[in-house]
Amino acid sequence: MSQVYDRVALIGLGLIASSMFWAIKRAGLAGEVTGFARSAETRETAREIGLCDRVCDSAAEAVEGADLVVLCVPVGAMGAVAAEIAPVLKPGATVSDVGSVKKDVIDAVAPHLPDGVHFVPAHPLAGTEHSGPRSGFAELFENRFTLIVPVEGTDREAVERLEQFWQGMGAKTEEMDAEHHDLVLAVTSHAPHLIAYTMVGVADDLRRVTDSEVIRYSAAGFRDFTRIAASDPTMWRDVFLHNKEATLEILGRFTEELFALQRAIRTGDGDHLFDYFTRTRAIRRGIIEAGQDTDAPDFGRVKRG
Amino acid sequence: MSQVYDRVALIGLGLIASSMFWAIKRAGLAGEVTGFARSAETRETAREIGLCDRVCDSAAEAVEGADLVVLCVPVGAMGAVAAEIAPVLKPGATVSDVGSVKKDVIDAVAPHLPDGVHFVPAHPLAGTEHSGPRSGFAELFENRFTLIVPVEGTDREAVERLEQFWQGMGAKTEEMDAEHHDLVLAVTSHAPHLIAYTMVGVADDLRRVTDSEVIRYSAAGFRDFTRIAASDPTMWRDVFLHNKEATLEILGRFTEELFALQRAIRTGDGDHLFDYFTRTRAIRRGIIEAGQDTDAPDFGRVKRG
């Protein structure tokens, strides 16, 4: 893979940015990668582990001369960062982001950007339960989708270059409009996360079942919830506050259906339950066929290190 | 490992029974293992793949002369099977089961069993999204808990022998009373399963997001829900109908907490969300420390065959 940008600046150095750095280096996608994080401790760690070719002490310094600037900060911080870097952006540069919400991010970032700078929002659908500069690894985006959400009138060349860049990191890219993105993500990610957080919270509150019992017996289904309920709290707070409408809509439908199933349990309507469970099974099969998971009999988990 | 029972009978030949057979054989825990399944097709498959030393055409035939009889049928079918085999049970034999619910199963099975037969209910906390006689494998119970739920006045020797048998199949055993078992499982397994089924159902119902989109972008969190929503519909229908009280109690608490989080989203209460998400993260850490999962960065999933 050859170089796609001369200089790339990563603003925010958490799981996504650190994985991007290692993936960029592996594929030789950029001449130089600069980085900035608000926290001095994170910058210190980044220097220590060789994360970024150059770690800068201000966002402006990192951004200077960059052909691509990627905002990798929590969704709620995007607007302020955009305002800060706007005056030093190189004419013709592309600004992108990796936020899990698109409509609000576009509204917050776009107004700050000067003419002649291309804004191409993006969202890599990849993550782990870990966060921070040490959590990244080059393979994070492999065989995962990165959704590209161009705003109206964006330069096609800038869009395609960014797609090429993500493909170089191993991702499959798809274009989607912001509103649809936010609804799709409310279904596939935001509502499931809130639900998982809630179930884990209920288990913790229940006085008659100890935390230690919940933990010991978690393999019975609960484990899959704790996995997604361990993600970064700041990131998720911002996601819910900034994709409020779509998330609340999906949660409304969810509680409606959950009440119907609870009623079926209460009244002993076994047919309703059976039919429902049979229908949901098919979706799982589709996910395996689409290559987004494995059907290995131990759920694909093996012990490591 | 030496032989624990001369003859073991497995009634019902799905995921659990077939895994038990391979685990018994691997460790040499029984002299002969007989098996019976209600469906002629399942018996045919069992004979074809060598599942059980002898596949019988009636439950009575399989049970005759057995020192241990394990009921591996859906929870709702346990009572009828117990009534059917009761007249032919060998004096001094142990009857056990693998049901996910214990109070209702004890109420359904115990009245049928003659004096001189030991009833020791059990529940292996292990499973996959697959079902049927071909889905079993010897390693299913390894490092997983099997909960032993002795009824009052049970012979200690019979209990300890059954524990030794499960340990021989690789499981860790714990004793628990039936009522507490049903509550613990409602939290760690039954409520999470119903919630996962519901979320997958909502995604399927939503007309503005296609199934294909849900499937393609499932890696963003939804995948973990589909995994548990793919389990056997008959088994789960019976679980909910027979652990009604505890499941409805936990679901009640769940919706209460979910409503509080929805309100925090609606009113923009970021602190409430952040604090909640920080608390749930700790439970996840506990599960990894307890050895019930791995924290490998790709969620411990690797591609297989």
Side-chain angles (χ1 to χ4, degrees), chain A residues 22-39:
Chain A
W22 302 118
I24 291 168
K25 284 291 143 180
R26 189 181 55 167
L29 300 170
E32 189 193 22
V33 180
T34 59
F36 169 75
R38 200 184 44 175
S39 134

Side-chain angles (χ1 to χ4, degrees), chain A residues 31 50 61 79 124 134 141 147 151 156 161 182 210 214 239 241 246 259 262 265 291-292 298-299 301 304:
Chain A
E61 191 191 332
R134 293 184 193 276
F141 310 111
L147 301 178
V151 294
R156 277 311 303 174
R161 203 162 155 202
D182 289 359
T210 65
V214 167
V239 166
L241 296 179
F259 283 148
Q262 278 179 262
I265 294 174
Q292 290 297 300
D298 64 343
F299 300 124
R301 288 186 196 110
R304 286 198 185 171

Side-chain angles (χ1 to χ4, degrees), chain B residues 117-251:
Chain B
V117 163
H118 310 294
F119 182 35
V120 189
H123 178 202
L125 305 187
T128 75
E129 65 194 75
H130 300 283
S131 43
R134 293 184 194 275
S135 59
F137 53 102
E139 299 77 18
L140 180 62
F141 310 111
E142 259 170 34
N143 202 33
R144 296 283 169 243
F145 284 98
T146 291
L147 301 178
I148 310 288
V149 184
V151 293
E152 228 184 280
T154 308
D155 183 63
R156 278 310 304 173
E157 208 184 313
V159 174
E160 278 154 28
R161 206 161 152 204
L162 188 73
E163 295 199 17
Q164 195 192 334
F165 178 69
W166 275 104
Q167 286 161 13
M169 290 189 281
K172 298 180 281 188
T173 58
E174 286 281 341
E175 293 185 27
M176 199 179 273
D177 75 58
E179 187 153 352
H180 192 63
H181 168 278
D182 289 359
L183 180 65
V184 168
L185 267 290
V187 177
T188 56
S189 176
H190 306 169
H193 272 82
L194 195 76
I195 288 163
Y197 276 123
T198 308
M199 188 63 223
V200 173
V202 168
D204 186 42
D205 273 346
L206 205 71
R207 289 287 162 261
R208 282 178 298 147
V209 177
T210 65
D211 274 7
S212 133
E213 283 176 320
V214 167
I215 287 166
R216 286 164 78 83
Y217 309 131
S218 68
F222 188 71
R223 180 177 58 185
D224 284 313
F225 280 63
T226 64
R227 190 191 315 283
I228 47 182
S231 314
D232 184 51
T234 306
M235 171 192 150
W236 281 100
R237 176 199 64 196
D238 281 10
V239 166
F240 296 123
L241 296 179
H242 292 275
N243 197 18
K244 189 183 286 202
E245 221 175 288
T247 305
L248 291 178
E249 182 195 335
I250 301 303
L251 292 173

Side-chain angles (χ1 to χ4, degrees), chain A residues 174 205 208 216 249 257, chain B residues 174 205 216 249 257:
Chain A
E174 286 283 340
D205 273 345
R208 282 178 296 146
R216 285 165 79 82
E249 181 195 335
E257 295 234 20
Chain B
E174 286 281 341
D205 273 346
R216 286 164 78 83
E249 182 195 335
E257 295 234 19

Side-chain angles (χ1 to χ4, degrees), chain B residues 87-111:
Chain B
V88 291
L89 285 168
K90 178 176 161 182
T94 293
V95 171
S96 187
D97 76 303
V98 297
S100 308
V101 172
K102 295 271 74 88
K103 233 173 25 169
D104 263 27
V105 167
I106 292 170
D107 290 349
V109 170

